[in-house]
Amino acid sequence: MKDGLLVRWRSLSERESPLLSWRVAPRLPSMVLVLALLGFAAFLVNVQQGEYPISIPDILKTLLGFDTGNPDHAFVIYTLRLPRTLVAFMVGVALAISGTIFQGLTRNVLADPSIIGINAGASLTAVAVIVLFPAAPIYVLPVAAFLGALLIAVLIYSLAWNRGSSPTLLILLGIGLSAIAGAFTSLMITFGSIYDVSQALVWLAGSVYGRTWEQVFALLPWVGLGIPTALVLSRHLNVLNLGDEIAKGLGSRVEWQRGLLVLVAVALAGASVATAGNIAFVGLIAPHAGRQLIGVNHQNLLPVAALLGGLLVTLADLVGRTVFAPIELPCGVITAVLGAPFFLYLLIYGRSR
Amino acid sequence: MTSQTPSHILKPLRHNRYLGLMLGVLVLLICLLFSITLGARAIPLQTILESFTTFDNSYDHLVVQTLRMPRSLMAVTVGAALAVSGALMQGLTRNPLAETGILGIEAGGALAVVATLFLFGSSSLTVYAAVAFLGAAIAAVTVYGLGSLGRGGATPLNLTLAGAAMTAFISSITTAILIVSQRTLEEIRFWLAGSLAGRDFDLFFQVLPFTVIGLLLAFVLGKQITTLSLGEDIAKGLGQRTVWIKGLTALSVVLLAGSSVAIAGPIGFVGLVVPHTVRFFIKTDYRWILPYSAVLGATLLLVSDIASRVLLKPQELPVGVMTALVGAPAFVYLAKSKVKR
């Protein structure tokens, strides 16, 4: 191949289309390697920084199971910083993949789960649980948030259905539905006790503060299932991205494939909102930066954007924790302050397609 | 828009717009009386009238004169201001979805007030009002400027998206402030939800002149805005100095939106629903759309306020939530039916 390597897993019968067909850009392996290394570096620095700094050799020793001669190290790393950093990275990956899928489907580089209302729906149900049932166990929160995200996605999808799910309409409807969900969220905030409300506000702004292994393991299955499914479906995303008519002409079952992709994107966004609240604009920035690095083929774009997303949220957490210490800003505020101007930049220059 | 309502009812209204407006004012006055009557303690009509004619310092008279009357007047003022500013923005930008809440103008006012409270502690009411105006004005100019830089100019989609992005940006900063300072949160959270309960009447009377100026300016500009809403090229061709008219209209929008944010906090969607409802009766003539919007907006907010007090007695809902529950579905409907793709 001139423009890369074609990898195929052939199914038994030659006539059927292959289950997996991968057009790998020559730059992809090195790009993924570099991004993974950068991600790991950000990860180490995030574990290292804090009120109790630990040197990087000590971190590596502790992680590999050697004794550093200081029992505090194991506690600080394993109980406090490692789960938090892992959550940040996984949430970033999930949001970036979700954003890449939504952008590909709506054929609009501005579509981000936080803009089209998915995150607002997840936030609403989670805040409802925090305020109405303050005694509810922590594992209820992710389930509630996921259901809220799903509800909004189903609403957007069904409202846009009768005209062949027009891409622009999806975004405007998302904004409208966000407003409805937001109204109910303010309702909850007005009536909660002040303690529950300020807890809910930290969560709403998108924060990985105080996340434990419980949250890591709650998030892991979603990410573990969502990423491979997204990668398998990325081929269809390429076709759908050409537009409904062309996709139909090429033999795609448009509504089915789109529904499946939406489901994966919602599952990833909902699970990450459930774990870390509304971290906005990651699904906007990561895919766009990914396109600059590797191009528009979604089979290459998805892994690159995913790693960029993980890197972004880890760094945002690092900045939020350290810049204004001892006050800790939620990483969602950092990504929004970065992302909203970027959104506007894209609005002005980016919609050239 | 094609109106589906039976034409034999609407015809007399279309033919006699003064009559329609009088009818609207009459309905508004009846709602106003209801608003004063209803509450934790029902006060009979007789007593209300007596409090105006022969005020005797009794408990009921005090409640009417110092609590219910000012609150109802606030609802009327804010409702009219929001509806007229919405109508103006829709005419100015030729965007059916334009509205102060959606375009991030209210978020701008809210951030300005929260930031002032956070940085300087409690300040005088005049400062809050001024700051709310400033925040609203900056947000309005920024959103319109950025939205019109997008591909195809200030299209509904560009403006709405720019507004959504600005709202996200601004409210994330507001949230950050509220997280850092719990004191600010305690003082301001009911205001942030958009409500007419427990508002400062002194602030209301300080802001009122700005609202009145904004409304008068809007009514005076009605004819020019009708021309402008045909398109800038046509308006220029008809000899209009569009830059001036646009600037004055924007000034009126900022006066109206800023004063309503200062009085009642962000109350969304009144400016969206009301002008579109008015356009069922009056298609394009802003000389009539604007006053009708004022009357209908005042009525809508008054009714929403009554509902927010009565529905969950003794709890009180923020009126901004009520209007969003009515208005956001209307936004969804308008987005589906009116935005060209």
Side-chain angles (χ1 to χ4, degrees):
Chain A
M1 298 301 302
K2 201 176 115 199
D3 59 340
L5 184 65
L6 192 66
V7 184
R8 280 191 169 180
W9 287 354
R10 290 214 175 276
S11 44
L12 287 176
S13 156
E14 276 294 315
R15 278 178 306 167
E16 282 177 32
S17 67
L19 184 65
L20 267 182
S21 165
W22 220 265
R23 198 178 291 276
V24 182
R27 277 183 302 165
L28 186 67
S30 53
M31 188 84 70
V32 166
L33 190 68
V34 168
L35 285 173
L37 283 176
L38 279 176
F40 188 64
F43 172 85
L44 281 181
V45 174
N46 204 10
V47 174
Q48 186 230 340
Q49 288 290 324
E51 257 182 70
Y52 184 97
I54 302 172
S55 74
I56 286 181
D58 279 350
I59 295 171
L60 290 175
K61 268 191 212 164
T62 313
L63 288 180
L64 293 173
F66 296 111
D67 190 19
T68 57
N70 186 342
D72 287 352
H73 286 174
F75 172 76
V76 170
I77 291 175
Y78 278 116
T79 320
L80 301 179
R81 295 192 193 155
L82 191 58
R84 171 186 190 144
T85 310
L86 281 176
V87 164
F89 194 82
M90 287 199 293
V91 162
V93 168
L95 285 173
I97 292 182
S98 177
T100 313
I101 293 177
F102 279 124
Q103 289 185 18
L105 286 180
T106 59
R107 303 170 67 201
N108 188 323
V109 292
L110 300 173
D112 163 270
S114 65
I115 296 273
I116 62 175
I118 305 293
N119 292 4
S123 301
L124 169 63
T125 42
V127 169
V129 169
I130 290 177
V131 169
L132 298 179
F133 311 102
I138 197 159
Y139 57 79
V140 175
L141 215 60
V143 181
F146 172 66
L147 290 177
L150 195 62
L151 177 72
I152 293 281
V154 167
L155 273 176
I156 293 178
Y157 200 48
S158 56
L159 279 170
W161 184 278
N162 58 0
R163 295 202 192 158
S165 301
S166 145
T168 330
L169 187 60
L170 279 173
I171 292 183
L172 283 177
L173 290 180
I175 292 173
L177 292 173
S178 287
I180 301 178
F184 279 112
T185 308
S186 339
L187 194 65
M188 299 292 169
I189 286 177
T190 316
F191 291 115
S193 80
I194 188 74
Y195 173 75
D196 295 329
V197 166
S198 69
Q199 202 192 356
L201 266 184
V202 171
W203 185 88
L204 270 180
S207 164
V208 291
Y209 171 77
R211 297 298 183 268
T212 62
W213 289 105
E214 213 180 341
Q215 273 108 351
V216 174
F217 289 123
L219 181 58
L220 204 56
W222 297 100
V223 176
L225 273 174
I227 295 176
T229 320
L231 288 173
V232 170
L233 291 172
S234 57
R235 189 163 53 110
H236 302 305
L237 195 52
N238 277 339
V239 181
L240 286 172
N241 191 238
L242 297 172
D244 283 9
E245 274 80 29
I246 298 178
K248 274 182 193 145
L250 289 171
S252 285
R253 287 176 297 175
V254 171
E255 300 290 356
W256 253 103
Q257 291 169 356
R258 180 156 44 202
L260 212 55
L261 277 160
V262 165
L263 202 64
V264 174
V266 166
L268 286 170
S272 56
V273 170
T275 319
N278 190 358
I279 300 182
F281 294 108
V282 175
L284 181 82
I285 301 173
H288 187 79
R291 262 181 231 112
Q292 301 295 312
L293 288 175
I294 199 89
V296 293
N297 180 350
H298 287 90
Q299 293 180 324
N300 299 320
L301 178 59
L302 266 179
V304 170
L307 286 168
L308 282 170
L311 184 63
L312 179 67
V313 177
T314 312
L315 287 177
D317 184 42
L318 181 64
V319 170
R321 244 154 35 88
T322 50
V323 170
F324 299 102
I327 291 172
E328 189 167 307
L329 281 181
C331 55
V333 169
I334 309 286
T335 58
V337 168
L338 273 177
F342 185 71
F343 179 95
L344 292 164
Y345 163 79
L346 285 182
L347 181 67
I348 296 165
Y349 299 107
R351 296 171 64 215
S352 49
R353 276 193 293 169
Chain B
M1 188 190 301
T2 52
S3 105
Q4 301 293 323
T5 8
S7 58
H8 64 276
I9 299 176
L10 296 180
K11 230 173 195 169
L13 290 184
R14 284 217 185 98
H15 283 299
N16 198 337
R17 286 170 173 168
Y18 287 105
L19 192 71
L21 200 58
M22 302 271 268
L23 206 68
V25 173
L26 195 67
V27 172
L28 176 60
L29 285 175
I30 293 170
C31 290
L32 196 63
L33 278 182
F34 261 108
S35 171
I36 298 173
T37 316
L38 294 171
R41 175 190 172 103
I43 299 176
L45 202 60
Q46 182 90 44
T47 322
I48 295 172
L49 290 177
E50 276 168 17
S51 83
F52 286 99
T53 50
T54 51
F55 186 70
D56 60 359
N57 264 326
S58 71
Y59 182 75
D60 279 355
H61 283 191
L62 275 173
V63 166
V64 168
Q65 289 291 329
T66 59
L67 291 176
R68 297 216 182 139
M69 190 68 200
R71 177 173 179 160
S72 307
L73 284 181
M74 267 195 252
V76 169
T77 314
V78 171
L82 285 172
V84 171
S85 73
L88 286 177
M89 287 165 83
Q90 287 156 19
L92 183 67
T93 63
R94 305 180 73 202
N95 176 355
L97 299 180
E99 193 260 337
T100 48
I102 292 162
L103 295 192
I105 295 173
E106 287 177 5
L111 171 64
V113 172
V114 169
T116 318
L117 190 61
F118 172 62
L119 292 174
F120 307 108
S122 303
S123 338
S124 75
L125 299 172
T126 326
V127 172
Y128 282 146
V131 155
F133 279 119
L134 199 67
I138 294 173
V141 171
T142 316
V143 166
Y144 187 74
L146 291 169
S148 55
L149 286 174
R151 189 173 57 130
T155 62
L157 184 65
N158 278 348
L159 278 180
T160 313
L161 290 176
M166 279 301 285
T167 308
F169 180 65
I170 291 170
S171 49
S172 74
I173 297 177
T174 310
T175 312
I177 293 176
L178 293 180
I179 284 168
V180 171
S181 159
Q182 198 160 32
R183 180 184 57 80
T184 316
L185 172 63
E186 185 69 88
E187 275 185 44
I188 217 157
R189 65 175 173 146
F190 208 78
W191 181 83
L192 274 181
S195 165
L196 294 161
R199 293 292 155 183
D200 205 307
F201 302 138
D202 293 336
L203 177 66
F204 170 59
F205 290 118
Q206 287 203 344
V207 173
L208 190 60
F210 295 103
T211 320
V212 173
I213 294 171
L215 283 173
L216 290 178
L217 188 59
F219 295 152
V220 169
L221 287 169
K223 192 179 170 190
Q224 310 294 338
I225 294 168
T226 311
T227 316
L228 192 61
S229 69
L230 297 173
E232 195 165 352
D233 293 339
I234 296 176
K236 269 186 186 149
L238 290 171
Q240 190 183 77
R241 295 162 78 185
T242 51
V243 178
W244 269 98
I245 298 300
K246 278 184 161 183
L248 286 173
T249 312
L251 178 68
S252 168
V253 166
V254 168
L255 282 175
L256 293 171
S259 58
S260 59
V261 170
I263 295 171
I267 294 178
F269 294 105
V270 174
L272 184 78
V273 180
V274 170
H276 282 291
T277 314
V278 169
R279 288 197 190 95
F280 276 112
F281 301 96
I282 300 158
K283 303 283 184 217
T284 50
D285 190 348
Y286 277 84
R287 280 176 306 175
W288 288 101
I289 289 178
L290 294 174
Y292 267 77
S293 294
V295 173
L296 192 62
T299 314
L300 177 68
L301 197 60
L302 203 53
V303 171
S304 304
D305 187 46
I306 296 172
S308 75
R309 278 188 285 160
V310 173
L311 280 183
L312 285 183
K313 260 186 182 172
Q315 282 273 49
E316 196 166 301
L317 291 168
V319 72
V321 172
M322 295 293 302
T323 56
L325 292 181
V326 179
F331 174 88
V332 170
Y333 165 77
L334 287 170
K336 271 197 82 157
S337 61
K338 286 222 149 179
V339 175
K340 292 193 204 81
R341 286 174 284 279

